[in-house]
Amino acid sequence: MRFVFIQKHTRIWRITTMCRVLEVSRAGYYAWRARPLCERVKTDRVLTAKIREIHDQVKHRFGSPRVRMELQALGFCAGKHRVARLMREAGVRATPRRRFRVTTDSTHQYPVVPNLVQRQFAVAHYAVNQTWVADITLSRRGKAGSISQCSWTSPCAASWGGRCGPASRRSSP
């Protein structure tokens, strides 16, 4: 662990200073650096790459048990604790699918507003405040919750670029 720290911080501090402070020999550090990686570390790196690949393929839905089953299907031998450790070290986590939540209550006791438009969306004459269109959008914003956005527009204003009435009947560019 000390040698890994020294290797990561060689651009910040001198190797001799870090070896003295961490009480390791300089020769020991250079011998460690020259040693090849053990098979377990090499296999862990290959497994981690495969875990990331599987995780992306399944849209981040699988946890360690299902990732382990996928690895076994691909011919890799790894235990459940090893796969869980590799996923944890790589920062790979399963994200659960959001539950479908019904947001419309059709059995309420409130009066229903009559439909005055009757699906006739064409405005016959150009007058202000005759027909309005509304849209309510619920946007999810991470873990903070959601934001309701409501917009109201007049079809007359939308069709004439914000200008209503007979005086504004110019040809659009």
Side-chain angles (χ1 to χ4, degrees), residues 16 22 24 29 49 51 59 68 90 98 119 123 136 140 142 160:
T16 54
L22 296 174
V24 294
Y29 167 71
I51 287 171
K59 299 177 183 176
R68 179 176 169 256
R98 289 185 49 82
R119 300 193 62 80
V123 180
I136 299 174
R140 184 158 185 261
W160 289 98

Side-chain angles (χ1 to χ4, degrees), residues 38-111:
C38 66
E39 288 301 317
R40 182 132 181 119
V41 173
K42 291 178 185 176
T43 310
D44 280 353
R45 289 185 180 174
V46 171
L47 282 174
T48 303
K50 272 294 177 194
I51 287 171
R52 287 184 192 275
E53 184 180 316
I54 291 168
H55 194 64
D56 289 338
Q57 284 176 356
V58 297
K59 299 177 183 176
H60 310 280
R61 297 286 182 220
F62 285 6
S64 61
R66 288 169 76 180
V67 169
R68 179 176 169 256
M69 289 182 353
E70 288 291 322
L71 285 171
Q72 285 179 341
L74 293 172
F76 291 96
C77 183
K80 62 181 179 180
H81 296 293
R82 185 178 186 188
V83 172
R85 176 183 56 86
L86 291 175
M87 287 179 70
R88 189 172 47 250
E89 288 173 357
V92 175
R93 293 187 57 166
T95 52
R97 183 169 289 167
R98 289 185 49 82
R99 263 184 64 207
F100 175 75
R101 183 175 289 176
V102 177
T103 58
T104 304
D105 180 17
S106 299
T107 60
H108 58 79
Q109 300 299 320
Y110 302 109

Side-chain angles (χ1 to χ4, degrees), residues 5-33:
F5 178 84
I6 293 171
Q7 189 175 25
K8 286 183 180 178
H9 295 88
T10 52
R11 293 182 183 223
I12 301 171
W13 296 296
R14 295 179 53 190
I15 293 175
T16 54
T17 307
M18 287 190 285
C19 288
R20 184 172 32 85
V21 169
L22 296 174
E23 298 177 351
V24 294
S25 68
R26 234 178 34 174
Y29 167 71
Y30 286 117
W32 171 82
R33 201 172 73 173

